[in-house]
Structure formats: C-alpha cells, structure tokens
Amino acid sequence: MSTPPKLLIFAGSTRLASFNRKLAHAAADLARNSGADVTHLELADFDIPMYNADLEAQGTPADVMKLKQILFEHPGWIICSPEYNGSYTALLKNTIDWVSSPVKADPAWQDGNKPFSGKVVGMLSASPGALGGLRSQSHLVPLLLNAQCWVAPKAFALGHAGDAFDADGKLINEAHRKNVQAVIDQVLFASSRLHA
C-alpha cells in the first residue's frame, strides 16, 4: 500500500475570525478527503518574534527550528494568504524570513533554502472584496520563487468571503469547493512526482 502524500496547509493570519484561516480549514478537509496526509498548521501556536539579526545572534528561537523541520518534511504546501494593503501580511513575511535564515552553528540548517527548496506551493486567498486577496498572491509568488519553491500555476482567490462559509466553516458554493480542490490536486500531483 502506498504512503499518502504529505501536505502542509497554513494561513498567514492569526486573527480568530480570519477568512483565510477558515479557508485553510476547508482546504484541509478537502485534502484529507482526497487521501492526503495533512498537517494543518496554525502560526499562532508558534512563539516567533519579529526578525532581528541581533536577536538571532543570541540563538535561533526554538519554535523557528520546529517550523524549519515541519516545512522541510512536507513536499507540498497550501498557503492561504490574506491581503493587507495590496500585499501579503507581515506575519507571513516574518515567518519566511526566520525560516529561511541559515543557522550557522547547526550543520543541518546552514542552508537557508533547505526548508523551501523543491517544495510545491499552491496559493489560496480570501477577502471580503471582489478580488479575493489576489494581489497578495501576486506579491508572494516572487518571494517563494526566490526561496526555490515551485509555485503551482493553478490558484484561487475567494471573493466576498463573508458570505462563503456556513456555520461549520465549510464552503457553501460548489464552484468554490471545486476551485480549492483543483489547487490541492495540482499540488499533490506535482509534489508526488518531484519527490518520488
């Protein structure tokens, strides 16, 4: 029996009522139903300060080291990116900055791109507006490519997200579910072949 593909899903928000956290939950359910071994990560569970090289010189925070390992272990990712001022969140950028920073004292993590290199990343976003956070995706893609990720060509931006979820946090519209599923399918397809 083959091992289920591993998929990491997280949102670039810690806000309790975040539409992107809801979208990450919905995507995780769909991915599990597709047979994936899903890790649904909440960035709020990690104690990560704002990146500062002076702070880093005192030692990379333990939760950053945990995140490095988690990202490294998953060949496919789905990122649900909120849009703040037409771009991705400071939380998401800070997370990437910390995780991509080399740990000079640890031979296993001296390559800053190690957690990112070769990962297949699918982009989702949600917003109350009509564009669904699309601009955050367009800004995040170059950052991921710079970290040597493969970005799936298929993406989905969920507009009018305030009306998109039921009381249980599931997507109401079948077309929305199909669009999210299409991103999941492409990430699972590509990551299984790149990491065969």
Side-chain angles (χ1 to χ4, degrees), residues 129-142:
L131 294 179
L134 190 62
R135 291 175 298 179
S136 71
Q137 295 183 22
S138 69
H139 285 202
L140 188 55
V141 167

Side-chain angles (χ1 to χ4, degrees), residues 147-171:
Q148 299 181 13
C149 294
W150 295 81
V151 179
K154 196 165 284 289
F156 177 57
L158 176 66
H160 306 293
D163 302 319
F165 300 93
D166 66 18
D168 296 321
K170 298 186 183 304
L171 288 166

Side-chain angles (χ1 to χ4, degrees), residues 76-94:
W77 308 347
I78 300 285
I79 300 177
C80 299
S81 178
E83 182 180 306
Y84 289 7
N85 294 313
S87 191
Y88 46 76
T89 61
L91 172 69
L92 196 49
K93 179 64 162 62
N94 188 60

Side-chain angles (χ1 to χ4, degrees), residues 100-125:
S100 64
S101 187
V103 184
K104 294 175 184 175
D106 187 339
W109 297 108
Q110 288 178 353
D111 178 2
N113 283 330
K114 180 179 174 181
F116 297 88
S117 184
K119 306 305 177 185
V120 178
V121 184
M123 306 285 299
L124 298 175
S125 59

Side-chain angles (χ1 to χ4, degrees), residues 4-194:
K6 294 185 77 171
L7 182 66
L8 179 67
I9 300 177
F10 61 97
S13 176
T14 57
R15 189 171 67 90
L16 289 177
S18 163
F19 294 129
N20 284 277
R21 288 183 64 222
K22 287 184 179 181
L23 187 56
H25 275 282
D29 286 343
L30 288 169
R32 287 189 186 101
N33 290 338
S34 298
D37 178 5
V38 177
T39 299
H40 180 197
L41 195 89
E42 289 282 7
L43 292 179
D45 294 338
F46 295 81
D47 183 15
I48 298 178
M50 287 299 293
Y51 180 79
N52 181 313
D54 293 336
L55 179 62
E56 184 180 32
Q58 300 169 28
T60 301
D63 277 3
V64 171
M65 298 303 292
K66 287 180 192 173
L67 263 181
K68 282 177 177 284
Q69 187 64 41
I70 292 169
L71 268 64
F72 175 72
E73 289 174 352
H74 291 79
W77 308 347
I78 300 285
I79 300 177
C80 299
S81 178
E83 182 180 306
Y84 289 7
N85 294 313
S87 191
Y88 46 76
T89 61
L91 172 69
L92 196 49
K93 179 64 162 62
N94 188 60
T95 300
I96 291 170
D97 286 346
W98 266 115
V99 173
S100 64
S101 187
V103 184
K104 294 175 184 175
D106 187 339
W109 297 108
Q110 288 178 353
D111 178 2
N113 283 330
K114 180 179 174 181
F116 297 88
S117 184
K119 306 305 177 185
V120 178
V121 184
M123 306 285 299
L124 298 175
S125 59
S127 166
L131 294 179
L134 190 62
R135 291 175 298 179
S136 71
Q137 295 183 22
S138 69
H139 285 202
L140 188 55
V141 167
L143 188 65
L144 294 169
L145 292 175
N146 186 66
Q148 299 181 13
C149 294
W150 295 81
V151 179
K154 196 165 284 289
F156 177 57
L158 176 66
H160 306 293
D163 302 319
F165 300 93
D166 66 18
D168 296 321
K170 298 186 183 304
L171 288 166
I172 296 168
N173 190 299
E174 177 64 19
H176 293 163
R177 289 194 296 272
K178 285 183 177 178
N179 283 323
V180 172
Q181 186 68 55
V183 176
I184 292 167
D185 290 346
Q186 197 168 72
V187 170
L188 292 177
F189 172 84
S191 63
S192 67
R193 278 149 184 80
L194 274 173

